[in-house]
Amino acid sequence: MRISRILRSVGAVALGIGLLSKATGVWADAPSSPGAVPGWTEFLDGVRDLPDRILAKLPPEQRDDPQVRQEVGRLALSAVTAAGIDALASDPDHPAFVPQLNNYLTVGQPNADTNYRSAKIAPGGVYRLRGVRGSMNQVRVAEAGPPKSGGEGRTQPRPVHDINALHTDEQGRFDVILSPTRPEGYTGDWWQSDPATNMLLVRMVGSDWEHKKEPSLSIERVDRPAPRPRPNADKLEAALRGIPASAGFIAPLLVDRPGKLRAEGYVNKLKAVDLTQLGGLAGQFYFEGAYALKKDEALLIETAVPAKCTYHSLILTNDIYETTDWYNNQSSLNGGQSSIDSDGTLRVVVSGKDPGVPNWLDTAGYDTGVIQGRWMECSSQPIPTVRKVALSELPKLLPKGTPHITPEQRDAQIRARRATLQQRPLW
């Protein structure tokens, strides 16, 4: 018995060594050529200097900051990861909606209330989208593709479709065809696509994180056979080689936006901005400005709230335009999460230290960054006023009767926020 146990132990060790050798590539017959997988070396070379390209767009004081350099590394990794997911899933003949932006894929400054998914499609293809509609404030499917020239050098927007406007059955199920022309004899819901569209971006926006439900959503190409053959080597190589260009475009795109706002004088004040050319949702009114605060300071944001409004929110970003971690901090507030005072004014406090008020935006350790707000389908689009004040002065500036949030209540609030967000689907 003892000898058999020893032999089994020796066998297990040998197996472990064999697996380790396999994992590390230490095999006598392993290929030694660095180009054994065409495109792999080019992929690595293409992303190697991505953090340097991001840093090059920042001012010297940020480039020299060790903290910022590591955050740039995170942003670069986020961009490569998003591009990698896209490369793995991109098959216009057999598409699927996959995550594009979220709390961990932070390129493009995602909105905290939005679930983003994307799918690659073939220009001119015929696609069927179906699922259960859910109950989100907005569910929009935006088309994307090569820029379309318009008058005066502007690019023309592509179509945006509304899932909430589709017909549903008793179970809330929808079924719609997307194509450049309506299929012959088809009488159901139909969206006309731009013949050059090669990607769909879905935005699912909800103010009530706990009760609003995202739609279930599938996509299939119906003018091609259903089975998917083995992807050939050329397509796999092209997808691999495409990652550096995709990541290299999106990662540095917006990192200098906070610096530009400061250069324009929009520090601790807000201005209207048009983000439609940068992928912003058409019909949504945006405003933003940089902030700069000391430890004992706060910003008091005040605005009237439109009489009619489908959705509104305020979010914070850091100084390279990543949305501040909203899973683990109250760094975003929407219309369902914020309270309006009896005089009809929405008052929000921005600070690094908890002021003990319900409408607090936590800078989460970032002394500088950006405040961004949006009004969607609202009867007016006011730009809020901003005042920098001492934290000690806040009680005098807020209406009497403003509720006080204790540290224990805030801790419970953040834990509930995080649990709710983690229970929402990312995929």
Side-chain angles (χ1 to χ4, degrees):
M1 291 293 291
R2 181 179 178 186
I3 294 175
S4 64
R5 285 198 301 270
I6 292 172
L7 289 174
R8 284 199 300 271
S9 298
V10 170
V13 170
L15 176 60
I17 293 173
L19 292 174
L20 178 61
S21 299
K22 184 176 181 181
T24 56
V26 184
W27 290 98
D29 58 351
S32 58
S33 169
V37 178
W40 184 259
T41 299
E42 291 79 5
F43 154 63
L44 295 175
D45 289 342
V47 300
R48 196 179 309 279
D49 68 342
L50 181 55
D52 296 332
R53 283 180 271 154
I54 299 172
L55 286 166
K57 296 189 70 173
L58 300 177
E61 62 271 17
Q62 286 184 277
R63 292 198 300 267
D64 295 338
D65 187 330
Q67 177 72 26
V68 173
R69 288 201 295 267
Q70 289 300 327
E71 289 169 349
V72 162
R74 176 184 62 197
L75 179 62
L77 180 60
S78 174
V80 172
T81 302
I85 292 173
D86 185 61
L88 291 169
S90 291
D91 183 346
D93 291 341
H94 301 85
F97 285 111
V98 296
Q100 194 196 52
L101 303 173
N102 53 48
N103 193 49
Y104 307 103
L105 302 177
T106 56
V107 290
Q109 188 249 342
N111 179 30
D113 300 308
T114 304
N115 190 329
Y116 300 84
R117 300 180 195 171
S118 63
K120 289 292 180 64
I121 65 172
V126 181
Y127 293 88
R128 181 185 185 188
L129 287 77
R130 50 182 164 162
V132 179
R133 188 167 67 185
S135 57
M136 303 295 279
N137 294 52
Q138 307 167 47
V139 185
R140 304 291 168 83
V141 181
E143 299 184 26
K148 296 173 60 181
S149 60
E152 299 179 355
R154 293 178 177 268
T155 57
Q156 294 180 338
R158 294 188 184 276
V160 178
H161 311 285
D162 187 355
I163 285 182
N164 285 346
L166 295 173
H167 295 96
T168 59
D169 64 12
E170 295 83 359
Q171 284 76 45
R173 295 175 298 191
F174 64 88
D175 199 328
V176 60
I177 295 293
L178 173 77
S179 59
T181 59
R182 181 186 285 272
E184 186 175 353
Y186 178 74
T187 59
D189 280 338
W190 172 64
W191 289 335
Q192 185 172 19
S193 63
D194 187 297
T197 291
N198 60 18
M199 188 184 83
L200 302 178
L201 171 61
V202 182
R203 290 178 174 91
M204 296 172 271
V205 187
S207 299
D208 186 342
W209 295 350
E210 185 174 1
H211 299 104
K212 294 289 185 180
K213 300 301 181 184
E214 287 91 345
S216 60
L217 181 60
S218 66
I219 182 171
E220 60 179 319
R221 187 168 186 180
V222 296
D223 59 340
R224 289 289 187 275
R228 184 191 186 200
R230 179 182 184 179
N232 64 46
D234 289 343
K235 287 186 177 181
L236 295 174
E237 181 181 344
L240 185 61
R241 288 179 178 272
I243 293 174
S246 178
F249 169 75
I250 191 62
L253 182 64
L254 299 173
V255 294
D256 58 349
R257 193 168 182 85
K260 289 179 178 178
L261 288 167
R262 287 194 294 269
E264 294 171 6
Y266 284 93
V267 180
N268 297 336
K269 61 180 179 179
L270 303 168
K271 71 166 186 172
V273 293
D274 182 1
L275 297 179
T276 54
Q277 299 298 317
L278 294 174
L281 192 61
Q284 189 157 247
F285 181 86
Y286 297 85
F287 55 87
E288 66 180 10
Y291 73 82
L293 289 170
K294 297 178 181 178
K295 305 298 183 186
D296 59 348
E297 294 178 331
L299 298 180
L300 178 58
I301 300 175
E302 298 175 293
T303 183
V305 177
K308 178 184 177 183
C309 200
T310 299
Y311 169 80
H312 65 88
S313 71
L314 284 167
I315 64 173
L316 300 180
T317 85
N318 64 13
D319 241 354
I320 56 173
Y321 215 57
E322 291 179 296
T323 308
T324 304
D325 175 9
W326 65 91
Y327 271 52
N328 303 293
N329 307 281
Q330 188 168 289
S331 58
S332 72
L333 286 172
N334 61 46
Q337 298 167 336
S338 52
S339 56
I340 301 172
D341 293 326
S342 58
D343 61 356
T345 301
L346 172 65
R347 293 179 173 87
V348 176
V349 177
V350 180
S351 62
K353 182 180 178 182
D354 189 348
V357 299
N359 295 347
W360 173 47
L361 287 178
D362 183 4
T363 61
Y366 296 98
D367 296 333
T368 56
V370 169
I371 304 164
Q372 186 186 88
R374 59 195 75 196
W375 305 109
M376 183 63 183
E377 296 176 341
C378 300
S379 53
S380 60
Q381 295 85 31
I383 299 177
T385 62
V386 181
R387 283 188 285 171
K388 185 170 73 171
V389 300
L391 273 168
S392 59
E393 294 295 311
L394 265 178
K396 301 176 184 178
L397 302 173
L398 297 174
K400 291 182 179 179
T402 298
H404 177 70
I405 305 297
T406 67
E408 294 76 19
Q409 290 172 325
R410 187 75 76 192
D411 185 78
Q413 186 181 58
I414 299 300
R415 292 180 185 278
R417 177 186 182 99
R418 179 168 54 219
T420 301
L421 283 166
Q422 288 185 7
Q423 291 166 27
R424 294 176 68 185
L426 284 178
W427 192 272

